[in-house]
Amino acid sequence: MRLSSTLLLCFSTALVSSAFVLSQPHMWTKLILTQQWPNTFCSREHCHLNISYWTLHGLWPDKGIDCNSSWHFNSSLIEDLIPDMKISWPDLLHPSTSSFWKYEWCKHGTCAAKVPSLNSQHKYFSKALELYHKVDLNSMLKKFNIIPSEKYYSFSDIETAIETFYGVKVKIQCVPPSASKGVDVQTLGQIEICFSPEFTLLDCDKHITMETIVRGDQAIPMGVHKTSGFSVCDHNMPVYYPAVP
Ligand SMILES: *[C@@H]1O[C@H](CO)[C@@H](O)[C@H](O)[C@H]1NC(C)=O
Ligand SMILES: *[C@@H]1O[C@H](CO)[C@@H](O)[C@H](O)[C@H]1NC(C)=O
Ligand SMILES: *[C@@H]1O[C@H](CO)[C@@H](O)[C@H](O)[C@H]1NC(C)=O
């Protein structure tokens, strides 16, 4: 009796949340947990950091940016999370400021906040940290012996390991070879893992680089998630996963 009423309760909660999503045509349907390899990021941005683990870039809804400009970032609302944020979600360009978190909140957090489970700064940042620790990409890669190295990896070895482990399609981004160096190798830079609004793993759309974003009632196609020269890795080109010098 108790079990079935619990099941019923979960079921009706699920119905309510999908109805909530369906009733809002511009509502996002997927969250993208994006992690970056600091060494690759810094090789393009000229930051000097010796972080040798994957760090959070952001938790991005698949629709919408800058959804509520009057909802200001306030770091005192997430004070308890700051020690973890400094390690797991560091600002590689301005390590001693909160400007990266502010940016991510305004651009993506205010859109994520359209669902009750993420409708505060504390809920948004703590969920991102929770998912980051849960997927634990750093341990996963080590377990499959994908470690920073001077030897190159085949793209499919990396992709297969990650997708086998999580059981979903992920989006892996690289910095393309630089023409000036004349080397046919791409550099591993960013990995996206996707979640449903209920925070279960979901396939990412790995080949989409142009996202349709919605600001108010306007649908504006643009490459929202194209940052720092990362693009979807070329399946046929070796991959360099650079160690921290
Ligand atoms: C890099 O590591 C060294 C030694 O651990 C440390 O003293 C230094 O502060 C670190 N630099 C940065 C930018 O984190
Ligand atoms: C935008 O954020 C402000 C401040 O938190 C809030 O009062 C307002 O309801 C929000 N607007 C929408 C449309 O969510
Ligand atoms: C930030 O949040 C704290 C705690 O709720 C509040 O006391 C403070 O006034 C807020 N600061 C701003 C600038 O809104």
Side-chain angles (χ1 to χ4, degrees):
M1 187 60 204
R2 170 166 261 204
L3 181 65
S4 66
S5 58
T6 310
L7 282 175
L8 191 63
L9 187 66
C10 297
F11 186 56
S12 51
T13 311
L15 279 181
V16 169
S17 64
S18 0
F20 178 77
V21 167
L22 289 174
S23 66
Q24 303 191 35
H26 297 319
M27 190 57 203
W28 55 265
T29 55
K30 200 177 277 190
L31 286 168
I32 305 164
L33 183 80
T34 305
Q35 299 183 54
Q36 58 192 356
W37 182 241
N39 195 19
T40 303
F41 176 84
C42 287
S43 70
R44 302 193 47 94
E45 298 292 334
H46 307 292
C47 40
H48 300 282
L49 274 187
N50 38 14
I51 297 178
S52 55
Y53 52 90
W54 288 79
T55 62
L56 259 174
H57 182 168
L59 182 65
W60 305 334
D62 64 347
K63 271 193 204 128
I65 58 166
D66 298 329
C67 292
N68 185 345
S69 57
S70 56
W71 200 345
H72 302 296
F73 176 76
N74 180 343
S75 63
S76 59
L77 300 171
I78 55 166
E79 224 162 299
D80 59 319
L81 306 175
I82 301 283
D84 190 6
M85 304 264 291
K86 283 185 170 163
I87 296 168
S88 307
W89 203 338
D91 184 335
L92 300 172
L93 294 173
H94 317 98
S96 56
T97 72
S98 56
S99 60
F100 186 34
W101 306 329
K102 180 182 175 180
Y103 177 84
E104 290 294 315
W105 166 255
C106 296
K107 188 166 175 186
H108 303 290
T110 54
C111 303
K114 287 178 179 176
V115 297
S117 54
L118 296 172
N119 66 358
S120 74
Q121 292 181 37
H122 197 275
K123 286 183 194 174
Y124 174 71
F125 286 104
S126 60
K127 182 57 78 175
L129 290 169
E130 179 195 318
L131 296 176
Y132 168 82
H133 291 300
K134 199 187 248 173
V135 302
D136 197 3
L137 181 63
N138 287 292
S139 306
M140 180 264 133
L141 290 171
K142 275 187 203 128
K143 193 178 207 161
F144 283 79
N145 211 27
I146 298 168
I147 46 176
S149 161
E150 288 307 306
K151 80 177 170 73
Y152 301 152
Y153 290 89
S154 89
F155 176 76
S156 63
D157 285 351
I158 296 179
E159 184 184 53
T160 304
I162 299 175
E163 294 191 341
T164 302
F165 185 80
Y166 295 113
V168 287
K169 296 189 188 316
V170 299
K171 184 158 130 187
I172 305 174
Q173 292 170 295
C174 289
V175 174
S178 83
S180 61
K181 287 184 187 148
V183 187
D184 258 2
V185 63
Q186 53 190 341
T187 308
L188 188 59
Q190 188 152 277
I191 296 178
E192 299 182 0
I193 301 175
C194 296
F195 290 87
S196 72
E198 289 80 31
F199 312 116
T200 56
L201 287 164
L202 210 62
D203 287 341
C204 294
D205 302 316
K206 56 175 72 191
H207 299 297
I208 293 183
T209 50
M210 299 293 277
E211 311 274 344
T212 297
I213 61 142
V214 176
R215 201 186 262 133
D217 290 333
Q218 283 177 288
I220 312 161
M222 56 182 271
V224 214
H225 299 150
K226 199 168 175 296
T227 45
S228 292
F230 294 150
S231 52
V232 177
C233 303
D234 182 331
H235 281 64
N236 301 310
M237 192 184 285
V239 176
Y240 178 37
Y241 181 16
V244 172

